[in-house]
């Protein structure tokens, strides 16, 4: 049944196999690096399962190599399995609660379930489970252990067999050497690897006509190779000796790009030295949900490109849990740095490149432009003395150190948010300038920090400074976001609408045609104030998740806006961290000839539903292609820009491989009964009454302001227009730690 449910999914992915133009590679062969799928597509489904291998073949480049970590059963049958012990990747304990034993493995005493203690018949009913906590468990128990013979029946394009410890198997009378030699003509492995030099030497020259390459797998540099008793760091110093028994090496990533305190150091000379000796170099440890250097800004494609598309070298292959991402990096994104955009969709920054530098600072905007952003944004706030400046929130405690610098100014303003804060309208611009910008870390609870070295770097910019910068930049447009205008006018005597209008006029943006100006607000009265300047494009921001926008609501929207910026979860339906389908929101807005922007995209894998394979490129492609979004609002514009430079952005291009958007619902359909959480209640519908806001109140003179009565921090904020869903932030937590669920939503 499971295979039937997934049939259309696999066929759809296979359709992606339709290579980018020939490029010169710095591999030993001069050809593209190989994609080696460790245990198949083990980043999504259980490692070494039938589905993992089938999905790897269907979603990857056509010459993908399937990696089998070979284990031996008590009766001499080879099977593919994540580890020598079966505890964490199977449900074997349910069948044999007293089957654990203790053995010496690689010099250490290990307790658990070992394949050598069970016959293949005894393991027949044992099923695979996901062995990485952050990965979906919906397939647990759905697939049996997969024998090497089963894998061969799939006729994989390429096969890699790894034997982690033949020393251990020999101790249990299951020597892998004769198993491989006698079956060489049937197995026909492209590569056989092992950390044991003795095992590789036992195979060298004995595989007959099989064109199998032997590869020495390096463990950590201080680990001891068991058959010769030397550390791998020592072996590394004598690469020439490896050539006598192997044609290549497989090394962890840090052998090539060392990492110190989370940041890359200079690359080693390993790849060049090995290539000079005729040795291929493969590297391991790739996974979209695994820890990577801060240099990559949580973009897994950036990490792959560092190994395959840099000015000095290219590895010959990558061992990955997410072969779809490795495939798109090599086949679609490599050698595209100088390309022009291949699609019209706009890359719109969110507080500049706020995933790399503190948001709304000069450094964040400079980085955004450098990364190829089309439209840079400024969310305008007002100081007490009427200076308009750029910052994500009117509450300064999230993006600056205001919580410590001006604790005495903290107060609750229920008209704006639930929790107490330090608000821009209570500080002069001079005081605001004294604040230090801070990195926003929405993934902090999962230890996913953004560029810690950049914390407190950069300077906040006034709106006028931002406009001057934008005018002289390569960005094709600007987006000015305006919020809280009624409160500022009626309570603080601050006319944010006039401040923005005057600043645009003073910078000549009201007359120029070189750069597009977008005026964005969640308040239709604000948008109405800019109606007279037809060169401005007005954008209605709908922050809240909605499930549908009926035609009457669309009609109202068109009275005030040329475009709509929609929460990314308004275009899909969700069940937990899975997608169950598309809503009609995007289709409805496009049918009404409204420009569609989708916000806000983040690279951290915990912000990306499983259906996008923890891959920000797949998420972007899904919005650009089937949903036809006209712009992507992102905190990591380099990722979106890289995608839009790729020839694979065009689904009709005649390429051997192209990126295929997600089909929401396929993973959910494949889940076993009871494997998923209850379906979420539908998001509200955007009614016409939710669209239109009251006219803006007059701007009161400061002397006419009546004292504000203090309100409790838990008061529900009043918000005209769209369904209320303002996220409160706890002042005592320094405003930077958000929950896992908040990031997903």
């Amino acid at each position: 049944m499971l295979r039937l449910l997934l049939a259309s999914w696999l066929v759809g992915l296979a359709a992606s196999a339709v290579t980018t133009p020939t490029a010169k590679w710095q591999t030993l062969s001069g050809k593209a690096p190989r994609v080696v799928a460790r245990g198949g597509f083990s980043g999504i489904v259980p490692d070494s399962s039938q589905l993992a291998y089938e999905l790897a073949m269907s979603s990857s480049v056509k010459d993908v190599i399937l990696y089998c970590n070979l284990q031996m059963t008590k009766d001499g049958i080879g099977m593919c399995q994540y580890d020598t012990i079966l505890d964490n990747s199977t449900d074997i304990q349910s069948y044999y609660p007293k089957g654990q034993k203790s053995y010496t493995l690689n010099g250490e005493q290990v307790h658990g379930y070992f394949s050598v203690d069970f016959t293949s018949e005894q393991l027949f009913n044992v099923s695979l489970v996901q062995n990485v906590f952050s990965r979906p468990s919906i397939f647990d128990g759905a697939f049996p252990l997969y024998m090497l013979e089963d894998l061969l029946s799939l006729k994989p394009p390429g096969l890699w067999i790894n034997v982690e410890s033949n020393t251990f198997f020999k101790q249990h009378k299951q020597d892998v050497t004769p198993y491989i030699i006698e079956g060489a003509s049937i197995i026909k492995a492209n590569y056989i690897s092992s950390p044991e030099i003795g095992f590789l030497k036992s195979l060298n020259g004995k595989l007959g006509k099989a064109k199998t390459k032997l590869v020495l797998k390096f463990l950590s540099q201080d680990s001891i190779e068991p058959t010769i008793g030397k550390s791998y760091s020592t072996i590394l110093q004598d690469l020439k000796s490896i050539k006598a028994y192997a044609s290549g090496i497989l090394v962890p990533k840090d052998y090539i790009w060392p990492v110190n305190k989370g940041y890359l150091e200079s690359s080693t000379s390993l790849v060049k030295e090995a290539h000079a000796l005729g040795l291929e170099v493969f590297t391991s440890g790739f996974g979209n949900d695994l820890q990577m250097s801060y240099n990559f800004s949580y973009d897994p494609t950036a990490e792959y490109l560092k190994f395959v598309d840099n000015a000095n070298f290219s590895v010959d292959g990558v061992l990955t849990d997410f072969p779809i991402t490795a495939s798109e990096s090599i086949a679609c994104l490599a050698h595209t740095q100088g390309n022009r955009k291949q699609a019209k969709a706009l890359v719109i920054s969110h507080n500049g490149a706020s995933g790399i530098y503190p948001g709304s600072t000069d450094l964040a905007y400079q980085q955004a432009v450098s990364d190829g952003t089309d439209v840079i944004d400024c969310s305008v706030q007002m100081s007490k003395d009427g200076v308009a400046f750029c910052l994500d929130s009117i509450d300064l405690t999230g993006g600056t150190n205001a919580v410590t610098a001006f604790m005495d100014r903290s107060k609750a303003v229920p008209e704006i948010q639930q929790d107490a804060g330090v608000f821009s309208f209570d500080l002069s611009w001079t005081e605001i300038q004294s604040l230090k910008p801070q990195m926003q870390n929405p993934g902090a609870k999962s230890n996913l920090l953004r560029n810690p070295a950049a914390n407190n770097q950069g300077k906040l910019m006034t709106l006028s400074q931002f406009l001057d910068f934008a005018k002289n930049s390569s960005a094709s447009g600007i987006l000015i976001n305006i919020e809280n205008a009624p409160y500022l006018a009626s309570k603080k005597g601050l006319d944010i609408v006039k401040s923005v209008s005057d600043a645009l006029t003073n910078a000549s943006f009201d007359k120029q045609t070189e750069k597009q100006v977008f005026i964005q607000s969640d308040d239709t009265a604000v948008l109405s104030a800019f109606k007279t300047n037809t060169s401005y494009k007005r954008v209605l921001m709908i922050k809240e998740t909605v499930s549908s926008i009926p035609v009457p609501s669309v009609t109202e929207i068109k009275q005030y806006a040329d475009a709509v910026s929609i929460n990314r979860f308004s275009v899909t339906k969700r069940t937990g961290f899975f997608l169950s389908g598309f809503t009609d929101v995007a289709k409805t807005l496009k049918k009404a000839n409204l420009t569609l922007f989708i916000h806000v995209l983040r690279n951290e894998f915990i912000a990306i539903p499983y259906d996008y394979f923890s891959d920000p490129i797949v998420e972007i492609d899904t919005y650009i292609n089937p949903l036809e979004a006209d712009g992507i609002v992102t905190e990591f514009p380099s990722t979106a820009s890289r995608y839009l430079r790729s020839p694979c952005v065009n689904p009709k291009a005649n390429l051997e491989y192209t990126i295929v958007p997600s089909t929401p619902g396929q993973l959910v359909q494949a889940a076993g009964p009871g494997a998923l959480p209850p379906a979420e209640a539908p998001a509200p519908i955007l009614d016409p009454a939710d669209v239109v806001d009251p006219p803006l109140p007059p701007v009161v003179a400061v002397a006419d302001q009546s004292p504000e009565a203090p309100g409790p921090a838990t008061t529900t904020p009043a918000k005209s227009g769209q369904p209320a869903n303002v996220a409160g932030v706890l002042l005592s937590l320094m405003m930077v730690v958000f929950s896992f669920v908040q990031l997903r939503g």
Side-chain angles (χ1 to χ4, degrees):
M1 179 62 180
L2 185 60
R3 289 178 58 83
L4 291 174
L5 287 171
L6 291 169
S8 61
W9 185 24
L10 295 173
V11 169
L13 288 170
S16 68
V18 286
T19 291
T20 52
T22 303
K24 184 177 181 180
W25 294 94
Q26 297 186 80
T27 56
L28 185 62
S29 67
K31 298 179 181 179
R34 304 299 297 271
V35 175
V36 187
R38 192 193 66 79
F41 204 141
S42 54
I44 294 295
V45 293
D47 191 306
S48 303
S49 64
Q50 179 178 345
L51 177 58
Y53 286 123
E54 290 180 335
L55 185 55
M57 289 195 295
S58 299
S59 65
S60 310
V61 288
K62 64 180 182 180
D63 62 348
V64 64
I65 299 172
L66 303 186
Y67 181 97
C68 170
N69 194 41
L70 188 68
Q71 310 296 337
M72 301 300 294
T73 65
K74 189 174 183 178
D75 51 344
I77 303 298
M79 68 177 186
C80 302
Q81 176 52 214
Y82 166 76
D83 197 3
T84 304
I85 57 173
L86 307 178
D87 302 50
N88 295 329
S89 55
T90 74
D91 60 359
I92 191 170
Q93 189 170 7
S94 300
Y95 295 93
Y96 304 102
K98 298 181 179 180
Q100 291 180 309
K101 292 186 178 181
S102 295
Y103 294 121
T104 299
L105 181 63
N106 296 329
E108 296 183 2
Q109 194 75 3
V110 178
H111 184 72
Y113 292 91
F114 295 83
S115 62
V116 292
D117 292 326
F118 301 90
T119 65
S120 55
E121 183 177 352
Q122 289 175 312
L123 295 174
F124 183 79
N125 291 320
V126 174
S127 298
L128 296 167
V129 300
Q130 182 56 260
N131 63 305
V132 178
F133 176 75
S134 62
R135 296 174 179 175
S137 59
I138 62 172
F139 298 109
D140 286 4
F143 295 97
L145 295 172
Y146 212 49
M147 303 299 154
L148 177 58
E149 182 180 356
D150 298 324
L151 178 56
L152 296 177
S153 69
L154 296 180
K155 299 181 179 179
L159 177 63
W160 185 307
I161 294 176
N162 179 67
V163 179
E164 197 70 12
S165 182
N166 193 45
T167 298
F168 175 78
F169 289 125
K170 287 172 70 175
Q171 292 170 351
H172 295 270
K173 300 180 181 180
Q174 295 298 336
D175 189 353
V176 180
T177 302
Y179 177 86
I180 294 290
I181 293 175
E182 293 169 12
S185 61
I186 298 174
I187 297 173
K188 297 180 180 179
N190 300 77
Y191 297 90
I192 296 176
S193 64
S194 178
E196 297 185 346
I197 292 174
F199 172 69
L200 295 176
K201 287 182 175 180
S202 72
L203 296 179
N204 191 27
K206 300 178 182 178
L207 298 178
K209 297 181 180 180
K211 298 180 180 180
T212 301
K213 296 180 179 181
L214 302 181
V215 177
L216 176 61
K217 179 182 178 182
F218 280 72
L219 305 181
S220 62
Q221 297 203 28
D222 57 353
S223 295
I224 303 299
E225 196 283 336
T227 63
I228 65 171
K230 295 182 179 179
S231 69
Y232 287 98
S233 61
T234 301
I235 297 170
L236 191 67
Q237 304 308 311
D238 188 15
L239 288 175
K240 187 176 181 180
S241 66
I242 297 174
K243 185 67 176 175
Y245 56 85
S247 61
I249 57 176
L250 171 64
V251 299
K253 293 181 295 186
D254 61 0
Y255 273 62
I256 299 171
W257 285 103
V259 177
N260 182 23
K261 296 181 179 179
Y263 291 93
L264 292 180
E265 297 184 331
S266 299
S267 63
T268 67
S269 58
L270 174 59
V271 177
K272 283 192 170 184
E273 291 177 4
H275 282 177
L277 294 169
L279 289 169
E280 288 186 301
V281 180
F282 299 87
T283 186
S284 62
F286 292 92
N288 298 0
D289 54 359
L290 301 180
Q291 192 68 43
M292 62 181 71
S293 167
Y294 296 125
N295 300 72
F296 303 128
S297 301
Y298 298 101
D299 181 350
T301 65
E303 182 178 38
Y304 287 112
L305 293 175
K306 197 71 172 177
F307 286 84
V308 304
D309 186 21
N310 66 73
N312 298 314
F313 62 83
S314 172
V315 298
D316 300 282
V318 293
L319 181 61
T320 175
D321 295 3
F322 291 82
I324 189 172
T325 308
S327 295
E328 71 195 28
S329 300
I330 293 169
C332 295
L333 304 177
H335 307 128
T336 62
Q337 185 61 39
N339 285 11
R340 293 184 176 182
K341 283 177 61 178
Q342 305 295 304
K344 294 181 179 180
L346 297 174
V347 178
I348 306 169
S349 70
H350 185 245
N351 307 311
S354 54
I356 300 177
Y357 287 106
S360 304
T361 60
D362 53 349
L363 296 180
Y365 290 124
Q366 291 167 17
Q367 186 68 48
V369 172
S370 175
D371 288 340
T373 303
D374 298 301
V375 178
I376 54 175
D377 71 304
C378 170
S379 287
V380 181
Q381 312 302 336
M382 298 295 293
S383 68
K384 183 178 182 179
D385 47 349
V387 177
F389 66 99
C390 303
L391 193 65
D392 182 48
S393 173
I394 195 170
D395 180 2
L396 304 173
T397 55
T400 74
N401 67 330
V403 70
T404 54
F406 292 100
M407 176 65 77
D408 59 326
R409 310 283 184 92
S410 174
K411 67 180 182 182
V413 182
E415 294 94 333
I416 293 176
Q417 65 184 35
Q418 297 179 40
D419 299 301
V422 178
F423 296 95
S424 66
F425 48 73
D426 286 332
L427 273 65
S428 69
W429 174 239
T430 299
E431 290 173 317
I432 292 171
Q433 283 182 298
S434 71
L435 297 173
K436 295 180 180 180
Q438 292 185 160
M439 289 295 300
Q440 300 271 20
N441 288 293
K445 276 194 172 181
S446 299
N447 199 32
L448 299 176
L449 302 180
R450 294 176 173 181
N451 194 13
N455 200 34
N456 301 144
Q457 290 188 9
K459 297 179 180 179
L460 297 179
M461 302 176 74
T462 65
L463 176 58
S464 295
Q465 291 171 334
F466 169 82
L467 295 176
D468 287 341
F469 170 78
K471 186 186 296 185
N472 297 302
S473 75
S474 60
S476 61
I478 59 172
L479 184 148
I480 306 299
N481 184 55
I482 303 172
E483 298 181 26
N484 303 304
Y487 178 85
L488 292 172
S490 63
K491 298 292 186 180
K492 295 299 173 182
L494 295 171
D495 193 341
I496 189 172
V497 171
K498 185 176 185 301
S499 295
V500 169
S501 181
D502 289 350
L504 289 169
T505 299
N506 293 338
S508 301
F509 274 93
D510 60 330
K511 297 177 181 178
Q512 60 83 45
T513 58
E514 292 81 13
K515 295 184 186 291
Q516 179 64 64
V517 176
F518 295 97
I519 302 295
Q520 176 177 278
S521 181
D522 59 353
D523 191 319
T524 54
V526 171
L527 298 180
S528 293
F530 289 90
K531 187 175 183 178
T532 56
N533 193 321
T534 57
S535 67
Y536 298 163
K537 299 295 183 184
R538 295 172 296 159
V539 183
L540 179 64
M541 162 72 83
I542 303 177
K543 292 183 178 181
E544 297 78 12
T545 300
V546 297
S547 61
S548 180
I549 304 180
V551 172
S553 299
V554 174
T555 301
E556 291 288 358
I557 290 172
K558 295 191 71 173
Q559 300 298 313
Y560 302 95
D562 310 292
V564 178
S565 184
I566 283 288
N567 182 312
R568 63 196 176 111
F569 286 119
S570 289
V571 298
T572 55
K573 303 173 185 177
R574 286 186 291 172
T575 300
F577 298 149
F578 299 89
L579 303 180
S580 56
F582 290 121
T583 68
D584 64 355
V585 170
K587 183 178 180 180
T588 299
L589 295 173
K590 294 296 294 184
K591 187 177 180 180
N593 293 319
L594 284 163
T595 298
L596 173 64
F597 298 156
I598 296 179
H599 69 261
V600 170
L601 275 64
R602 297 168 176 152
N603 282 358
E604 289 94 343
F605 73 89
I606 58 171
I608 302 174
Y610 290 132
D611 298 72
Y612 300 128
F613 309 125
S614 302
D615 185 336
I617 294 290
V618 174
E619 181 178 20
I620 294 170
D621 184 67
T622 303
Y623 299 146
I624 298 297
N625 279 315
L627 296 182
E628 300 180 347
D630 300 291
I632 296 296
V633 183
T634 174
E635 296 175 343
F636 297 89
S638 61
T639 301
S641 179
R642 183 181 298 117
Y643 161 77
L644 288 168
R645 292 196 307 268
S646 165
C648 297
V649 74
N650 181 3
K652 298 180 180 179
N654 186 25
L655 305 173
E656 290 184 9
Y657 180 86
T658 192
I659 301 167
V660 174
S662 171
T663 303
Q666 296 287 10
L667 285 176
V668 171
Q669 292 177 32
L676 288 171
E680 296 183 10
I685 294 172
L686 186 67
D687 291 324
D690 295 325
V691 175
V692 183
D693 293 279
L696 291 174
V699 179
V700 300
V702 175
D704 295 338
Q705 294 180 40
S706 57
E708 294 181 49
T714 57
T715 301
T716 302
K719 169 69 173 73
S720 62
Q722 301 149 13
N725 185 26
V726 181
V729 185
L730 293 176
L731 195 61
S732 61
L733 293 181
M734 306 291 286
M735 308 295 288
V736 296
V737 181
F738 294 89
S739 71
F740 185 86
V741 176
Q742 282 176 313
L743 182 58
R744 287 268 180 191

